[in-house]
Amino acid sequence: MAFMDPGAHAAKMMERMTPPTREGMLTKLGYMSGKWQQRWFTLRGAKLSYAAKREGSEKGHIMVNTSCTITTVVPGEPPARDAMPSHVTLKGNIPPFCLKLTTPKSGGTRTYYLAATNQADLSAWLSALAPLVGGQVPATGIAAMVGSASQAAMPGNAANLGAMMG
């Protein structure tokens, strides 16, 4: 039996007991497969974790902070070069209601594509993630943020959502 540091064990237990800020099904672009895969996402604090199903074991996680950028994506636009290795072929176009989350990764960046099922779900995820990248939902509501993010998602115009809303 492996020994677990009591502090690490307590931190893990506290994380599990903390209610999520947001959770739900999103479709994620697979890094190694190039396929769109449904995953259950849970946002707790700055950790966005995902599993194959609601009660499934964690397949991975993304730490979301002010070093990240988030934008909405124009359906059908080509994925960022760091979304998957060059030898992997995209299987299916980028769908509607998709967001692009770019994070720092050893010596570069990693871009994640996450698609919601509808505009309301996308807006709710953007509202939950915006404060973590340094932005706040504007007083005029999420529709203004989504409109701004759509403009920023135009090719060659990647922007930090926080800067757009600041």
Side-chain angles (χ1 to χ4, degrees), residues 37-53:
Q37 303 161 330
Q38 282 202 323
R39 298 286 181 243
W40 183 264
F41 280 81
T42 303
L43 179 62
R44 277 192 177 86
K47 183 179 178 183
L48 180 62
S49 57
Y50 54 94
K53 56 186 179 180

Side-chain angles (χ1 to χ4, degrees), residues 28-37 84 88-91:
K28 176 185 168 292
L29 176 60
Y31 182 75
M32 293 304 292
S33 68
K35 292 186 216 172
W36 293 93
Q37 303 161 330
M84 53 193 173
V88 174
T89 303
L90 177 65
K91 295 161 183 80

Side-chain angles (χ1 to χ4, degrees), residues 2 25-26 28 40 44 58 67 71 85 101 117-118 120 122-123 133 140 145 149 157 165:
M25 194 64 79
L26 292 171
K28 176 185 168 292
W40 183 264
R44 277 192 177 86
E58 182 179 298
S67 298
T71 60
L101 177 61
T117 55
N118 56 50
L122 174 62
S123 296
V133 298
T140 55
M145 180 176 71
N157 194 16
M165 296 183 300

Side-chain angles (χ1 to χ4, degrees), residues 20-27 39-45 47-50 62 64 70 72 97-99 101 114-133 137 142 145-146 161 165:
T21 305
R22 174 125 185 101
E23 61 183 342
M25 194 64 79
L26 292 171
T27 303
R39 298 286 181 243
W40 183 264
F41 280 81
T42 303
L43 179 62
R44 277 192 177 86
K47 183 179 178 183
L48 180 62
S49 57
Y50 54 94
I62 307 163
V64 184
I70 184 171
T72 57
F97 316 118
C98 191
L99 65 88
L101 177 61
L114 309 173
T117 55
N118 56 50
Q119 184 63 50
D121 198 28
L122 174 62
S123 296
W125 278 105
L126 288 170
S127 290
L129 293 166
L132 299 174
V133 298
V137 177
I142 192 69
M145 180 176 71
V146 171
L161 190 56
M165 296 183 300

